[in-house]
Amino acid sequence: MTAPQTSALKPVSLEHDAWGQLILETDDGRRFTGVIPARAFPVSDPEHWVSICDSQGHELLSIENLSSLASGLRTVLEAELAHREFVPVIQRLVSATTQEPSDWVVETDRGRTAFQLNSEDDVRRIEPDQASIVDSHGIRYLIPCVAKLDPASRRILDHFL
Amino acid sequence: MPVRTPENFDIRQELPLRLRATVDAMLGREEALLGWFEVDLDARLNFVDSFVLLTDKRIVGTSGGDLRPTSPQNNGAPGGMEDAAAGEKSWPLSAELSIQSKEKGGAGALELVDANGLLAQWRFTPARTKAAHHFVDRLKQFRSGSLSDGDLSESSEVLCPSCGSPIKGDQGLCETCIALPGTRPGRSLLRLLRFARKRGAMSFLGLVLTVGSTSAGMVPPYLTKPILDKVLVPYQNGQEAAFRLIPWLLGGLAAASILTWILSWARTYVVAWVSERIAADLRNQTYAHLQRLSLEYFGGKRTGDLIARVSTDTDRICYFLSVYLVDFANDILMIVMTAGILLSIDVRLAAATLIPLPLIAWLVHQVRSRLRGGFQLGSRAWADMTSVLADTIPGIRVVKAFAQEHREIERFRRANDRVLHANDRVNRLWSFFGPVIVLLTDLGILIVWIVGVWQVYNKNVTVGTLTLFVAYISRFYVRLDSMSRMVSATQRTAAAAQRVFGILDREATVPEPVHPIKTGRLSGRIEFRDVGFRYGARTVVEGLNLTIEPGEMIGLVGPSGSGKTTVVNLVCRFYDVAEGTVLIDGTDVRSFSIEEYRQHIGLVLQEPFLFYGTIAENISYGRPGATREEIISAARAARAHEFILRLPDGYDSLVGERGQSLSGGERQRISIARALLIDPRILILDEATSSVDTETEREIQLALDNLIQGRTTIAIAHRLSTLSRASRLVVMERGHIVEIGPHQELLAQGGTYSRLYRAQSDHLEERAL
Ligand SMILES: Nc1ncnc2c1ncn2[C@@H]1O[C@H](COP(=O)(O)OP(=O)(O)O)[C@@H](O)[C@H]1O
Ligand SMILES: [Mg+2]
């Protein structure tokens, strides 16, 4: 098997079939059922480099720039990506206990929730002003801009960052 | 070329002076000295100096001072003529006579043999190993006619490829191009001043503020004298008291206090600012220096010890600078000023107060060196303890797998006990020393009272003067007391500084050339010319000659321990050759700038190490400016792209310590992508696929096929099937190349390779059954 020239293929259409599977049609006329889209850089560059893999996880094609897609295709793709990615964005920290394991209560874009951290190492700075938190169940929470949090939340976060 | 006569080779001029007379007496006029070897052990391995000479006619051995024949139990050996008077033996250079240098346990042996067996043997310490090899080479060169005149080491003049001057010395290195080791500077604590100079302005400000605040602190006691003598005492005695002075005097007291407060506040801040920066500079410089040291240094150092030096020891220095050093300067100033004021007021009283001073000085001196020893011990014990941590925490899986937790706990406890004992030792000394100083202080004040009361009684001084004295002197002794505490802080810091400078003073054993040659675009031709390498005295690679053409892939095979990794280390210049040269595109690797040169080398190791960071960061480690597209295409070529896409965070997933755990094969493919991204001319794979399963190996193999295109590749592998793409296989055994050739040819030869190959294919068949 040689390395497939994935980036050469272009998507022609992307739609859901009756079973909710995603069907991809490419410019060489082939159809693929049950394809899975994935962002290569979901945190640092979500708008570029989206790959579409077949149901086995082999890459079929890669889209360098989402904005280059036809709008219909892009809507389906982004809806599917949003459907797969569950990364609540934290808007406010309500409380966090300081001893390990620490219990957090936060308000996210998906509503208020509580979780537990295994260790304070699970709060990480990714980009200079971005933080990500992984709770004891492996769910990831994102703080896209630490500076934009309210002072009370920032004070809580400072204990961990 | 002029016709050479033996006299042309004579190197008697180069003999060390202490040997010259002896050698001249031993050799005839018509005999030319070709080489000598200074032996430093006798047959029973005692330290006894003697030497062996090589002339154009014979080999002569002396036994140095003790006049015993050097060759053991061989006195009657054929061909050995003994000149009893000089304690020397000589053997004519017959055709079958040969010398060889061997390693025999901890000490080497230079052996003289002929067709009948061993004639003589001289033993030497590893320090003489190189010279021994050289001596052996001299005879070989003489016989092959390649011996040159005058020059001790090189058979022909070689010009430095970097600066063009002729190269001397057996390293094949240009002396003008290799940096000389720096001069060893003096005391560690004084050397810290160099770091303070970089922060000159602020350091100076700190000094000024210190002087200012100390002087302001001297004012209040001075004002007590007029309060007593001019106001209170006259008033009490019913005389006219100058009460109008009181507001001024009290105001002065208040002003002095406030000034002292402001100045010491500013001083503390400025000094802390400066010392924090000095410590940070020191840490940066130490770490930067550490990064540039050769691998050899790290091989001999424990991680924990290095960490302790860079972190704990520099912090200690910072604390000293910010807290103690200022106090110290303060104290000195105060003591000098106080002494000055006291002497100016009343010489006799002043002299009395200073009586205990010499005693204290003597005591401090006694304690100092002992404290320093104690602190050094403490620092080392602390580093040992850190080492235990640095050792076991990364190895925790092994500890648990072998259920050795209790043993590691015990190991830590022992290390911790050593810290405890070292600190106890210091504390014992200290707990005695501190109170003694306090006792002497009290004694000093007592003396002042005695002398003062006596003087007041005799109406020589006023009550005000006495009060002034007592006020000053108690400050004085408080200062002395805190200075004595300084002693321990200074010694602790000196010990820390010594450990930090221990790193800074270390020179890289792989030196950077002074005038490096630009590598430019390398084509990747690698040539080993008579390469030899030793770890210490142990020869690991010897007489290696090999040329690898640009773009060629060779497979390096051989039993483990045969020196394959060592060969690769020499190409990477992790170590420098002991003999011969490694040439890249015809230029000695040692004349390139190390950093620039290594940018042309892609290295994939058996244990792929990933740093803490995202996958994208790890892939672009060698070229941080790489675009996302380049990162993806490197990962595709390394067959890592698809598994990365399957991770929830893709290329943004955190890996390394504390990060996402990846399997060995996955980590390996990331490290291949990392090597691929720098687009190296030379690719080195050191057992890159040895630690993964066959399926992953197949994947990696495919990745490698992408990787080796158009690059000079050296691949080391135990699974010989991995090397199917290699145009030639180089078989190594015990540091020598034993076979070179393509797979089929070597198989037909029926040598080491075919044996290795058959062992593996049997094994495969067994598995297939
Ligand atoms: N840092 C070192 N210090 C001392 N000896 C070493 C060092 N590294 C390797 N050796 C020794 O050098 C010999 C060759 O090692 P190496 O080149 O790693 O072998 P290979 O890679 O063929 O298995 C071995 O006998 C090994 O013990
Ligand atoms: Mg090896």
Side-chain angles (χ1 to χ4, degrees):
Chain A
M1 204 176 92
T2 57
Q5 281 302 315
T6 45
S7 44
L9 280 179
K10 294 259 179 297
V12 174
S13 80
L14 192 65
E15 53 200 28
H16 291 280
D17 68 4
W19 291 273
Q21 295 201 85
L22 205 56
I23 314 275
L24 170 76
E25 205 172 302
T26 53
D27 59 350
D28 61 351
R30 284 188 293 165
R31 277 173 69 86
F32 300 92
T33 312
V35 296
I36 303 159
R39 287 194 163 104
F41 301 92
V43 181
S44 57
D45 192 5
E47 295 304 306
H48 293 90
W49 303 112
V50 176
S51 292
I52 299 184
C53 302
D54 67 13
S55 48
Q56 305 302 308
H58 294 302
E59 189 181 41
L60 298 168
L61 57 85
S62 163
I63 300 153
E64 181 179 348
N65 192 347
L66 280 186
S67 59
S68 69
L69 288 179
S71 66
L73 224 156
R74 181 175 175 176
T75 318
V76 178
L77 186 60
E78 285 191 329
E80 180 69 18
L81 283 170
H83 196 64
R84 312 198 133 263
E85 289 168 357
F86 176 71
V87 184
V89 174
I90 294 179
Q91 288 159 339
R92 199 166 81 82
L93 296 171
V94 180
S95 70
T97 56
T98 37
Q99 80 273 33
E100 289 185 10
S102 89
D103 292 305
W104 289 52
V105 180
V106 297
E107 276 170 21
T108 71
D109 58 340
R110 291 163 202 252
R112 195 184 168 101
T113 180
F115 57 84
Q116 201 175 56
L117 289 193
N118 282 333
S119 87
E120 57 185 56
D121 286 343
D122 290 331
V123 184
R124 293 165 178 148
R125 205 177 268 283
I126 343 176
E127 304 281 294
D129 201 34
Q130 217 173 49
S132 118
I133 300 169
V134 182
D135 77 0
S136 53
H137 299 292
I139 301 172
R140 222 158 46 82
Y141 300 83
L142 194 69
I143 302 173
C145 184
V146 175
K148 286 204 186 115
L149 287 177
D150 60 293
S153 304
R154 273 234 299 283
R155 227 169 298 130
I156 296 177
L157 196 63
D158 280 345
H159 288 296
F160 296 88
L161 276 185
Chain B
M1 227 185 227
V3 180
R4 291 218 161 127
T5 58
E7 290 82 71
N8 286 26
F9 304 133
D10 195 278
I11 51 169
R12 239 176 270 197
Q13 296 309 315
E14 296 174 34
L15 272 175
L17 280 174
R18 67 199 140 81
L19 295 184
R20 214 170 274 178
T22 332
V23 171
D24 272 340
M26 283 163 67
L27 299 186
R29 279 209 165 276
E30 62 291 351
E31 211 170 0
L33 180 67
L34 305 181
W36 76 88
F37 174 62
E38 288 180 71
V39 183
D40 57 356
L41 294 177
D42 70 3
R44 270 176 245 109
L45 302 186
N46 298 318
F47 288 104
V48 175
D49 290 333
S50 64
F51 55 86
V52 188
L53 302 176
L54 169 69
T55 74
D56 57 334
K57 301 196 173 54
R58 59 190 177 131
I59 288 172
V60 192
T62 76
S63 48
D66 71 347
L67 295 180
R68 267 181 298 148
T70 334
S71 62
Q73 296 95 39
N74 250 339
N75 287 340
M81 298 182 298
E82 193 160 358
D83 181 343
E88 67 180 63
K89 287 187 71 175
S90 81
W91 297 266
L93 279 187
S94 59
E96 59 270 19
L97 192 76
S98 75
I99 36 178
Q100 57 204 36
S101 164
K102 281 190 175 167
E103 278 153 40
K104 294 210 157 181
L110 189 71
E111 293 183 347
L112 188 64
V113 290
D114 71 359
N116 301 321
L118 189 65
L119 299 176
Q121 190 187 50
W122 295 273
R123 306 298 303 267
F124 53 87
T125 63
R128 310 288 313 146
T129 307
K130 212 171 191 172
H133 282 274
H134 184 66
F135 185 74
V136 172
D137 288 345
R138 293 289 291 177
L139 179 60
K140 282 200 199 114
Q141 286 165 7
F142 174 63
R143 284 186 167 153
S144 66
S146 62
L147 196 65
S148 63
D149 54 323
D151 189 0
L152 245 175
S153 45
E154 284 288 327
S155 50
S156 59
E157 190 173 69
V158 177
L159 293 183
C160 169
S162 171
C163 66
S165 53
I167 291 176
K168 281 216 178 108
D170 53 359
Q171 286 283 309
L173 276 181
C174 174
E175 281 163 21
T176 48
C177 282
I178 298 300
L180 291 170
T183 46
R184 244 199 134 65
R187 308 276 297 273
S188 337
L189 271 180
L190 291 180
R191 289 176 65 189
L192 286 173
L193 288 180
R194 225 182 43 211
F195 288 85
R197 231 177 24 215
K198 264 205 297 199
R199 308 283 177 183
M202 283 302 253
S203 304
F204 185 71
L205 182 61
L207 202 67
V208 170
L209 287 171
T210 306
V211 174
S213 65
T214 310
S215 318
M218 299 299 288
V219 175
Y222 205 77
L223 294 179
T224 55
K225 182 175 142 75
I227 292 182
L228 283 169
D229 283 351
K230 294 240 165 70
V231 185
L232 293 182
V233 175
Y235 175 72
Q236 210 167 33
N237 296 346
Q239 295 163 346
E240 188 196 344
F243 271 110
R244 63 197 155 69
L245 283 178
I246 283 291
W248 291 105
L249 291 172
L250 292 186
L253 275 180
S257 300
I258 289 173
L259 192 65
T260 312
W261 167 61
I262 292 176
L263 284 177
S264 27
W265 175 56
R267 177 204 69 187
T268 313
Y269 178 76
V270 167
V271 167
W273 188 93
V274 171
S275 55
E276 205 60 68
R277 266 146 199 83
I278 291 176
D281 288 347
L282 194 63
R283 259 195 300 276
N284 275 338
Q285 197 175 336
T286 312
Y287 184 68
H289 193 84
L290 196 60
Q291 281 284 346
R292 294 206 188 91
L293 284 178
S294 327
L295 273 186
E296 190 185 357
Y297 183 71
F298 294 91
K301 281 276 175 238
R302 301 177 67 180
T303 318
D305 179 58
L306 292 179
I307 292 175
R309 287 181 195 219
V310 177
S311 55
T312 321
D313 286 333
T314 51
D315 197 52
R316 229 166 237 169
I317 292 171
C318 171
Y319 190 69
F320 171 79
L321 293 179
S322 65
V323 178
Y324 286 105
L325 196 59
V326 177
D327 276 358
F328 183 66
N330 220 0
D331 296 343
I332 295 272
L333 255 172
M334 202 112 166
I335 287 174
V336 171
M337 283 190 201
T338 317
I341 292 173
L342 293 184
L343 284 172
S344 75
I345 295 173
D346 191 305
V347 177
R348 235 177 311 164
L349 203 52
T353 58
L354 300 179
I355 290 174
L357 209 59
L359 204 60
I360 292 178
W362 176 79
L363 205 65
V364 165
H365 183 74
Q366 285 301 304
V367 160
R368 213 176 54 180
S369 60
R370 269 184 247 179
L371 271 180
R372 156 116 58 149
F375 284 128
Q376 251 162 6
L377 201 73
S379 279
R380 259 190 319 247
W382 186 266
D384 273 353
M385 194 181 75
T386 332
S387 288
V388 173
L389 291 177
D391 215 27
T392 48
I393 292 175
I396 193 73
R397 278 165 60 98
V398 182
V399 175
K400 291 203 173 293
F402 288 89
Q404 293 299 314
E405 290 94 336
H406 56 278
R407 172 160 138 190
E408 293 303 337
I409 293 168
E410 181 59 23
R411 192 147 79 104
F412 183 80
R413 204 183 56 75
R414 270 204 304 272
N416 203 7
D417 276 352
R418 273 199 298 278
V419 173
L420 200 64
H421 289 316
N423 289 348
D424 276 350
R425 195 177 119 176
V426 170
N427 292 342
R428 257 199 308 278
L429 197 61
W430 189 241
S431 56
F432 169 74
F433 181 62
V436 168
I437 296 287
V438 174
L439 179 70
L440 290 174
T441 309
D442 290 347
L443 191 69
I445 295 174
L446 187 66
I447 292 175
V448 172
W449 277 113
I450 295 172
V451 178
V453 168
W454 176 252
Q455 295 279 69
V456 171
Y457 180 74
N458 287 338
K459 301 239 178 332
N460 284 336
V461 299
T462 61
V463 175
T465 309
L466 179 59
T467 319
L468 174 75
F469 255 84
V470 171
Y472 271 122
I473 208 71
S474 35
R475 288 186 173 223
F476 182 86
Y477 278 109
V478 166
R479 290 293 142 188
L480 263 190
D481 182 34
S482 84
M483 260 181 82
S484 68
R485 220 163 293 140
M486 268 294 296
V487 175
S488 93
T490 315
Q491 295 319 309
R492 189 187 277 272
T493 311
Q498 220 165 39
R499 283 163 51 80
V500 172
F501 287 120
I503 294 182
L504 283 175
D505 289 343
R506 193 49 91 98
E507 295 292 326
T509 46
V510 175
E512 185 80 30
V514 176
H515 306 290
I517 303 183
K518 285 256 162 285
T519 50
R521 179 105 185 125
L522 290 178
S523 66
R525 184 190 151 93
I526 306 173
E527 190 182 345
F528 295 90
R529 227 182 255 167
D530 288 320
V531 167
F533 181 75
R534 290 184 276 277
Y535 286 111
R538 188 158 145 235
T539 305
V540 176
V541 170
E542 212 176 0
L544 194 79
N545 280 295
L546 178 67
T547 304
I548 308 170
E549 296 302 330
E552 186 185 5
M553 173 177 177
I554 67 144
L556 206 51
V557 297
S560 120
S562 55
K564 306 180 295 292
T565 301
T566 307
V567 168
V568 156
N569 283 343
L570 293 176
V571 175
C572 295
R573 223 188 146 207
F574 290 146
Y575 295 89
D576 271 341
V577 292
E579 282 147 15
T581 36
V582 178
L583 302 146
I584 307 291
D585 288 3
T587 311
D588 193 326
V589 280
R590 286 170 294 192
S591 39
F592 294 128
S593 140
I594 298 173
E595 208 177 312
E596 196 193 349
Y597 170 63
R598 292 213 184 114
Q599 278 167 4
H600 297 275
I601 296 180
L603 184 60
V604 182
L605 298 172
Q606 178 173 6
E607 257 315 308
F609 187 87
L610 301 184
F611 293 99
Y612 177 72
T614 66
I615 290 182
E617 282 164 359
N618 268 289
I619 293 180
S620 60
Y621 186 74
R623 194 149 70 79
T627 64
R628 297 207 162 90
E629 185 169 13
E630 288 170 322
I631 291 173
I632 291 184
S633 67
R636 278 212 182 101
R639 302 224 135 215
H641 181 61
E642 287 179 354
F643 89 77
I644 294 172
L645 279 184
R646 258 173 263 146
L647 299 173
D649 281 349
Y651 284 84
D652 292 329
S653 312
L654 288 163
V655 292
E657 193 180 31
R658 298 192 294 147
Q660 173 105 32
S661 27
L662 299 174
S663 77
E666 287 167 341
R667 278 205 305 267
Q668 190 59 275
R669 278 177 279 171
I670 290 176
S671 82
I672 292 173
R674 176 168 67 189
L676 191 60
L677 189 72
I678 60 170
D679 190 21
R681 298 320 302 153
I682 297 169
L683 180 67
I684 291 168
L685 308 165
D686 191 351
E687 305 192 8
T689 57
S690 298
S691 61
V692 297
D693 58 281
T694 38
E695 177 56 27
T696 316
E697 192 195 350
R698 209 180 55 87
E699 281 277 303
I700 291 176
Q701 198 59 45
L702 289 168
L704 291 182
D705 288 348
N706 289 326
L707 194 47
I708 62 174
Q709 309 247 325
R711 305 172 207 282
T712 310
T713 307
I714 302 178
I716 301 175
H718 279 309
R719 283 187 209 138
L720 301 179
S721 55
T722 319
L723 300 174
S724 55
R725 303 275 302 243
S727 62
R728 282 185 300 162
L729 295 166
V730 176
V731 187
M732 290 193 66
E733 231 172 349
R734 267 175 265 115
H736 295 267
I737 294 182
V738 288
E739 290 166 19
I740 303 183
H743 170 75
Q744 291 301 338
E745 204 173 283
L746 292 185
L747 214 53
Q749 266 179 25
T752 312
Y753 181 75
S754 71
R755 211 176 58 237
L756 281 170
Y757 186 78
R758 233 168 275 126
Q760 286 197 1
S761 48
D762 285 356
H763 185 61
L764 286 181
E765 274 160 30
E766 235 167 68
R767 271 206 301 204
L769 284 177

